[in-house]
Amino acid sequence: RALAQAKPEAGKRGVELRFRLAKNLPEFRADPLRLDQMLINLISNAVKYTDEGGAALLTVRPRSGETEIEFRVYDTGVGIAAKDLSRLTHSYERTDVALAKDQRGAGLGLALTRLLAEAHGGSLRLTSRLGRGTVATILLPVTPTDTGEIRFDAVG
């Protein structure tokens, strides 16, 4: 759903959207609205800060022996300076690059994504290089139930 929502804007901006889902992904339960919101925030940013001819990729795979699910959004956009990375996950923070590109938004998307990931016992990680793009990673815990089924630790 997150990719479908970003597709019209990506088309307008000439940004290719790609998706890769790992085979044999363990089953897990998640709050679909919260997970969608996190992914929409990351994919929208990837499209917003990637120039025409660039690409954004969402991958989903198990990690750490299937104790975590990794949702990773790569882009070939403008990138973020190292000094700005930690600021961007706080409310109302934007970078000079974002302001220079005259992009709309209050600077809440990454902060909200970080808070939602943490509320689910997970985390948000950002890595980036100016002029080369950004990688945003959401890690969410997966835990076995007494039946052996794998489930997402949902917020109650």
Side-chain angles (χ1 to χ4, degrees):
R1 181 181 144 165
L3 286 170
Q5 186 166 333
K7 194 173 186 175
E9 184 65 20
K12 277 193 262 182
R13 297 184 52 80
V15 174
E16 180 185 359
L17 285 179
R18 295 184 223 149
F19 175 65
R20 190 176 310 142
L21 180 66
K23 293 180 181 177
N24 302 320
L25 192 67
E27 290 186 27
F28 67 99
R29 293 183 192 157
D31 178 333
L33 294 176
R34 302 298 181 253
L35 182 57
D36 263 355
Q37 186 62 55
M38 289 187 277
L39 295 175
I40 287 167
N41 289 342
L42 297 184
I43 295 166
S44 295
N45 279 349
V47 169
K48 186 187 299 187
Y49 296 110
T50 298
D51 292 327
E52 185 174 351
L57 167 67
L58 168 63
T59 64
V60 182
R61 68 184 186 112
R63 212 176 120 156
S64 301
E66 298 188 356
T67 62
E68 295 176 311
I69 299 290
E70 175 188 270
F71 299 87
R72 185 172 279 190
V73 176
Y74 302 83
D75 70 57
T76 60
V78 297
I80 304 165
K83 67 180 177 65
D84 292 327
L85 281 175
S86 64
R87 285 186 325 130
L88 289 179
T89 59
H90 300 286
S91 300
Y92 306 108
E93 291 287 343
R94 299 182 70 201
T95 67
D96 294 338
V97 171
L99 297 173
K101 285 185 70 67
D102 193 32
Q103 296 295 338
R104 296 187 340 202
L108 292 172
L110 289 174
L112 176 61
T113 300
R114 178 184 59 85
L115 291 172
L116 288 172
E118 289 174 357
H120 288 85
S123 63
L124 170 66
R125 297 179 185 163
L126 298 173
T127 59
S128 188
R129 288 183 57 195
L130 279 175
R132 312 256 1 240
T134 300
V135 178
T137 305
I138 299 169
L139 293 173
L140 299 177
V142 173
T143 56
T145 63
D146 359 347
T147 64
E149 168 190 2
I150 306 263
R151 71 173 177 82
F152 174 79
D153 283 336
V155 173

PDB file of all heavy atoms in Angstrom, residues 85-100:
ATOM      1  N   LEU A  85      22.040  13.952  10.408  1.00  0.00           N
ATOM      2  CA  LEU A  85      21.294  12.690  10.518  1.00  0.00           C
ATOM      3  C   LEU A  85      20.540  12.544  11.830  1.00  0.00           C
ATOM      4  O   LEU A  85      19.363  12.204  11.841  1.00  0.00           O
ATOM      5  CB  LEU A  85      22.226  11.493  10.313  1.00  0.00           C
ATOM      6  CG  LEU A  85      22.578  11.181   8.872  1.00  0.00           C
ATOM      7  CD1 LEU A  85      23.611  10.063   8.818  1.00  0.00           C
ATOM      8  CD2 LEU A  85      21.356  10.800   8.071  1.00  0.00           C
ATOM      9  N   SER A  86      21.187  12.769  12.950  1.00  0.00           N
ATOM     10  CA  SER A  86      20.520  12.552  14.243  1.00  0.00           C
ATOM     11  C   SER A  86      19.427  13.588  14.500  1.00  0.00           C
ATOM     12  O   SER A  86      18.429  13.291  15.140  1.00  0.00           O
ATOM     13  CB  SER A  86      21.533  12.555  15.384  1.00  0.00           C
ATOM     14  OG  SER A  86      22.147  13.823  15.491  1.00  0.00           O
ATOM     15  N   ARG A  87      19.576  14.779  13.979  1.00  0.00           N
ATOM     16  CA  ARG A  87      18.561  15.829  14.166  1.00  0.00           C
ATOM     17  C   ARG A  87      17.252  15.490  13.469  1.00  0.00           C
ATOM     18  O   ARG A  87      16.184  15.882  13.922  1.00  0.00           O
ATOM     19  CB  ARG A  87      19.050  17.171  13.598  1.00  0.00           C
ATOM     20  CG  ARG A  87      20.062  17.878  14.399  1.00  0.00           C
ATOM     21  CD  ARG A  87      20.384  19.266  13.843  1.00  0.00           C
ATOM     22  NE  ARG A  87      20.356  19.353  12.392  1.00  0.00           N
ATOM     23  CZ  ARG A  87      19.688  20.291  11.704  1.00  0.00           C
ATOM     24  NH1 ARG A  87      18.987  21.202  12.324  1.00  0.00           N
ATOM     25  NH2 ARG A  87      19.728  20.314  10.392  1.00  0.00           N
ATOM     26  N   LEU A  88      17.341  14.796  12.352  1.00  0.00           N
ATOM     27  CA  LEU A  88      16.159  14.582  11.524  1.00  0.00           C
ATOM     28  C   LEU A  88      15.110  13.675  12.134  1.00  0.00           C
ATOM     29  O   LEU A  88      13.992  13.635  11.664  1.00  0.00           O
ATOM     30  CB  LEU A  88      16.571  14.034  10.156  1.00  0.00           C
ATOM     31  CG  LEU A  88      17.260  15.046   9.271  1.00  0.00           C
ATOM     32  CD1 LEU A  88      17.656  14.398   7.959  1.00  0.00           C
ATOM     33  CD2 LEU A  88      16.376  16.249   9.023  1.00  0.00           C
ATOM     34  N   THR A  89      15.446  12.938  13.152  1.00  0.00           N
ATOM     35  CA  THR A  89      14.453  12.068  13.782  1.00  0.00           C
ATOM     36  C   THR A  89      13.775  12.764  14.957  1.00  0.00           C
ATOM     37  O   THR A  89      13.071  12.135  15.725  1.00  0.00           O
ATOM     38  CB  THR A  89      15.085  10.743  14.235  1.00  0.00           C
ATOM     39  OG1 THR A  89      16.130  11.029  15.153  1.00  0.00           O
ATOM     40  CG2 THR A  89      15.607   9.956  13.046  1.00  0.00           C
ATOM     41  N   HIS A  90      13.966  14.085  15.059  1.00  0.00           N
ATOM     42  CA  HIS A  90      13.306  14.887  16.088  1.00  0.00           C
ATOM     43  C   HIS A  90      12.306  15.817  15.419  1.00  0.00           C
ATOM     44  O   HIS A  90      12.495  16.254  14.286  1.00  0.00           O
ATOM     45  CB  HIS A  90      14.331  15.674  16.905  1.00  0.00           C
ATOM     46  CG  HIS A  90      15.313  14.768  17.592  1.00  0.00           C
ATOM     47  ND1 HIS A  90      14.986  14.017  18.693  1.00  0.00           N
ATOM     48  CD2 HIS A  90      16.590  14.452  17.293  1.00  0.00           C
ATOM     49  CE1 HIS A  90      16.023  13.285  19.054  1.00  0.00           C
ATOM     50  NE2 HIS A  90      17.013  13.534  18.219  1.00  0.00           N
ATOM     51  N   SER A  91      11.232  16.145  16.110  1.00  0.00           N
ATOM     52  CA  SER A  91      10.146  16.940  15.545  1.00  0.00           C
ATOM     53  C   SER A  91      10.615  18.275  14.999  1.00  0.00           C
ATOM     54  O   SER A  91      11.440  18.956  15.608  1.00  0.00           O
ATOM     55  CB  SER A  91       9.079  17.198  16.609  1.00  0.00           C
ATOM     56  OG  SER A  91       8.573  15.973  17.071  1.00  0.00           O
ATOM     57  N   TYR A  92      10.067  18.626  13.859  1.00  0.00           N
ATOM     58  CA  TYR A  92      10.233  19.923  13.192  1.00  0.00           C
ATOM     59  C   TYR A  92      11.645  20.195  12.719  1.00  0.00           C
ATOM     60  O   TYR A  92      11.994  21.324  12.420  1.00  0.00           O
ATOM     61  CB  TYR A  92       9.747  21.074  14.087  1.00  0.00           C
ATOM     62  CG  TYR A  92       8.338  20.864  14.567  1.00  0.00           C
ATOM     63  CD1 TYR A  92       8.071  20.546  15.892  1.00  0.00           C
ATOM     64  CD2 TYR A  92       7.265  20.935  13.682  1.00  0.00           C
ATOM     65  CE1 TYR A  92       6.777  20.329  16.330  1.00  0.00           C
ATOM     66  CE2 TYR A  92       5.968  20.718  14.114  1.00  0.00           C
ATOM     67  CZ  TYR A  92       5.737  20.418  15.433  1.00  0.00           C
ATOM     68  OH  TYR A  92       4.460  20.196  15.861  1.00  0.00           O
ATOM     69  N   GLU A  93      12.482  19.192  12.617  1.00  0.00           N
ATOM     70  CA  GLU A  93      13.854  19.379  12.132  1.00  0.00           C
ATOM     71  C   GLU A  93      13.907  19.057  10.643  1.00  0.00           C
ATOM     72  O   GLU A  93      13.392  18.041  10.200  1.00  0.00           O
ATOM     73  CB  GLU A  93      14.839  18.473  12.878  1.00  0.00           C
ATOM     74  CG  GLU A  93      15.031  18.857  14.317  1.00  0.00           C
ATOM     75  CD  GLU A  93      15.847  20.123  14.502  1.00  0.00           C
ATOM     76  OE1 GLU A  93      16.554  20.555  13.560  1.00  0.00           O
ATOM     77  OE2 GLU A  93      15.775  20.695  15.592  1.00  0.00           O
ATOM     78  N   ARG A  94      14.536  19.950   9.892  1.00  0.00           N
ATOM     79  CA  ARG A  94      14.769  19.739   8.467  1.00  0.00           C
ATOM     80  C   ARG A  94      16.186  20.163   8.154  1.00  0.00           C
ATOM     81  O   ARG A  94      16.776  20.951   8.875  1.00  0.00           O
ATOM     82  CB  ARG A  94      13.771  20.553   7.640  1.00  0.00           C
ATOM     83  CG  ARG A  94      12.328  20.120   7.939  1.00  0.00           C
ATOM     84  CD  ARG A  94      11.330  20.853   7.116  1.00  0.00           C
ATOM     85  NE  ARG A  94      11.453  20.395   5.739  1.00  0.00           N
ATOM     86  CZ  ARG A  94      11.014  21.115   4.724  1.00  0.00           C
ATOM     87  NH1 ARG A  94      10.466  22.285   4.907  1.00  0.00           N
ATOM     88  NH2 ARG A  94      11.140  20.666   3.496  1.00  0.00           N
ATOM     89  N   THR A  95      16.721  19.659   7.067  1.00  0.00           N
ATOM     90  CA  THR A  95      18.095  20.006   6.710  1.00  0.00           C
ATOM     91  C   THR A  95      18.118  21.186   5.758  1.00  0.00           C
ATOM     92  O   THR A  95      17.108  21.550   5.153  1.00  0.00           O
ATOM     93  CB  THR A  95      18.806  18.831   6.007  1.00  0.00           C
ATOM     94  OG1 THR A  95      18.168  18.617   4.744  1.00  0.00           O
ATOM     95  CG2 THR A  95      18.777  17.586   6.847  1.00  0.00           C
ATOM     96  N   ASP A  96      19.295  21.764   5.586  1.00  0.00           N
ATOM     97  CA  ASP A  96      19.461  22.847   4.627  1.00  0.00           C
ATOM     98  C   ASP A  96      19.133  22.375   3.221  1.00  0.00           C
ATOM     99  O   ASP A  96      18.588  23.108   2.420  1.00  0.00           O
ATOM    100  CB  ASP A  96      20.895  23.387   4.673  1.00  0.00           C
ATOM    101  CG  ASP A  96      21.204  24.069   5.997  1.00  0.00           C
ATOM    102  OD1 ASP A  96      20.255  24.495   6.689  1.00  0.00           O
ATOM    103  OD2 ASP A  96      22.388  24.166   6.340  1.00  0.00           O
ATOM    104  N   VAL A  97      19.461  21.124   2.908  1.00  0.00           N
ATOM    105  CA  VAL A  97      19.160  20.566   1.586  1.00  0.00           C
ATOM    106  C   VAL A  97      17.654  20.546   1.374  1.00  0.00           C
ATOM    107  O   VAL A  97      17.150  20.924   0.321  1.00  0.00           O
ATOM    108  CB  VAL A  97      19.758  19.144   1.432  1.00  0.00           C
ATOM    109  CG1 VAL A  97      19.272  18.484   0.152  1.00  0.00           C
ATOM    110  CG2 VAL A  97      21.270  19.208   1.466  1.00  0.00           C
ATOM    111  N   ALA A  98      16.911  20.120   2.383  1.00  0.00           N
ATOM    112  CA  ALA A  98      15.452  20.066   2.266  1.00  0.00           C
ATOM    113  C   ALA A  98      14.890  21.463   2.037  1.00  0.00           C
ATOM    114  O   ALA A  98      13.993  21.665   1.221  1.00  0.00           O
ATOM    115  CB  ALA A  98      14.837  19.447   3.518  1.00  0.00           C
ATOM    116  N   LEU A  99      15.422  22.436   2.754  1.00  0.00           N
ATOM    117  CA  LEU A  99      14.935  23.804   2.600  1.00  0.00           C
ATOM    118  C   LEU A  99      15.313  24.362   1.237  1.00  0.00           C
ATOM    119  O   LEU A  99      14.537  25.058   0.598  1.00  0.00           O
ATOM    120  CB  LEU A  99      15.489  24.684   3.725  1.00  0.00           C
ATOM    121  CG  LEU A  99      15.040  24.266   5.128  1.00  0.00           C
ATOM    122  CD1 LEU A  99      15.781  25.081   6.181  1.00  0.00           C
ATOM    123  CD2 LEU A  99      13.545  24.407   5.293  1.00  0.00           C
ATOM    124  N   ALA A 100      16.506  24.044   0.765  1.00  0.00           N
ATOM    125  CA  ALA A 100      16.965  24.538  -0.525  1.00  0.00           C
ATOM    126  C   ALA A 100      16.137  23.958  -1.668  1.00  0.00           C
ATOM    127  O   ALA A 100      15.924  24.612  -2.676  1.00  0.00           O
ATOM    128  CB  ALA A 100      18.438  24.195  -0.730  1.00  0.00           C
TER     129      ALA A 100
END
